[in-house]
Every structure is written in structure tokens, then in C-alpha cells.
Amino acid sequence: KVDVGKLLLNPNNPRLFSREEARIPLDKVMDPGVQASTLKRLFPNNDKDRFKIDELVKSIHENKYVPEAGGYIFVRRLEGADCYLVLEGNRRLVALRELLADTDILAKEKPDVLASIKTIDVLEIIDDIREEKLQEKISYLLGTCHHGSHKDWSPFAQAKGIYERYLIISGQSNETFKYN
């Protein structure tokens, strides 16, 4: 169980970037500016809710937050900090924050909903392995969550995931890659 306030949006979410050089280093993800720009990319202040976060807000408002129904939020603890980076579930985190922005109203209208979203169950990746291997594991996890799932990745993100998986399976690297 984790307080929603201790969860950070992942600026390297495959939905949000299309160039590897745009990747934000792990030691910079806690920066308030990085978090604000990630939020704006997921849920802009205009009518373009391309990730359908308003639908998630409405669903949680009507039904409470039920991770078993909509999928758990996968996280990893950031070293030296009392917070977690959301690996899978960034849209849900934005929806939960939207609801928590009006806690007084929610407490009066839907106290059961408020109780279900202040502290939530998450699944933490706790492997004690090298960062490179952890990134491979996270990539595999995200791929299994999304390919053929309820939300498609962009063609770039799908191709990148397939390519990275191919490298692992074939025992190749970017430098030694040969299509076979």
C-alpha cells in the first residue's frame, strides 16, 4: 500500500516519446519540472484528452478504484528517495490525482471512493540486479501488459519493444545486430 502522493509519473513512458535521445535519466525524474511536463503530455489543459483520462476519472468516481479490474500499478522505488516511479499505470495515476484534487467534495459525495484512492495497492519490482538487466525486465513487463492489451502503443514503441526483445532472445546487441 502506497500513498498516491509518493508516486511519480514516468517521463520515459513509451506512449510519450519517439526518440531514444529524448529519454530522461533516472536521477532527473523527481524534478518538479519533469513531472509537470510529463503530466501536461499525458493530460493537456485543452480538449485533447487522447489518452482518455477523463473516462478513467469518471469510472473511478462511479466505481471506486479497483486495481483487479483495471490493472495494477507497477512501480520501482527510486534509490535514496521515499517515492516510487510508476512503470505501468501512469494514466491511472493522473486520474487518481484528478480526483484527489477535490478531496473536500469527494469526502462529502463519495467517501468510499476517497478511501479507495488515498492509499492504493501497487506491485513493486524489487529485483536486486544491474540496472541494464532491470531495464530489460521492465521492458518485457510493459510489453506483456500492452501488446494485444486494452491500450495500444504507438508503432514506434511497438517496434522498439520487439527489437529489444529480439536482441535479448538472439543474444545480440545494438552493435552486433543482424536480422536473421
Side-chain angles (χ1 to χ4, degrees):
K1 287 206 172 284
V2 175
D3 183 297
V4 170
K6 292 185 178 193
L7 299 176
L8 297 172
L9 294 169
N10 186 354
N12 298 319
N13 183 313
R15 296 175 195 271
L16 300 179
F17 77 98
S18 59
R19 296 179 332 224
E20 190 61 31
E21 54 273 6
R23 184 173 289 281
I24 304 294
L26 194 57
D27 63 344
K28 304 283 189 236
V29 299
M30 287 189 294
D31 180 270
V34 169
Q35 287 296 300
S37 69
T38 304
L39 174 62
K40 189 171 186 172
R41 291 169 70 203
L42 278 166
F43 196 48
N45 292 335
N46 56 30
D47 293 333
K48 296 183 180 181
D49 183 12
R50 69 181 194 159
F51 298 118
K52 300 182 176 152
I53 291 172
D54 278 333
E55 289 179 19
L56 282 171
V57 171
K58 184 178 176 184
S59 175
I60 295 169
H61 187 266
E62 291 173 3
N63 305 302
K64 299 192 294 188
Y65 178 65
V66 183
E68 297 85 2
Y72 280 93
I73 292 178
F74 286 87
V75 301
R76 74 179 283 193
R77 184 182 292 269
L78 292 178
E79 194 172 317
D82 188 27
C83 57
Y84 301 84
L85 179 65
V86 172
L87 304 170
E88 168 61 23
N90 286 275
R91 293 172 54 248
R92 279 168 272 154
L93 175 57
V94 173
L96 293 171
R97 287 180 177 175
E98 282 294 303
L99 287 164
L100 287 170
D102 294 322
T103 53
D104 292 339
I105 295 169
L106 202 55
K108 290 177 188 172
E109 293 178 1
K110 298 258 191 168
D112 57 330
V113 171
L114 181 59
S116 78
I117 65 173
K118 288 177 92 172
T119 303
I120 62 168
D121 288 330
V122 298
L123 296 175
E124 180 184 3
I125 295 178
I126 57 172
D127 292 345
D128 187 20
I129 55 179
R130 292 186 344 263
E131 183 64 26
E132 179 183 306
K133 287 291 183 192
L134 182 61
Q135 287 302 323
E136 287 176 9
K137 189 170 194 165
I138 290 168
S139 180
Y140 180 76
L141 168 72
L142 294 177
T144 59
C145 289
H146 284 272
H147 295 296
S149 185
H150 39 256
K151 266 300 191 195
D152 290 334
W153 282 5
S154 70
F156 173 83
Q158 289 181 24
K160 183 177 182 302
I162 292 167
Y163 172 74
E164 288 176 350
R165 190 71 187 144
Y166 181 82
L167 289 179
I168 293 167
I169 291 170
S170 67
Q172 298 182 57
S173 69
N174 286 327
E175 295 77 30
T176 63
F177 172 75
K178 288 184 184 176
Y179 178 75
N180 184 348

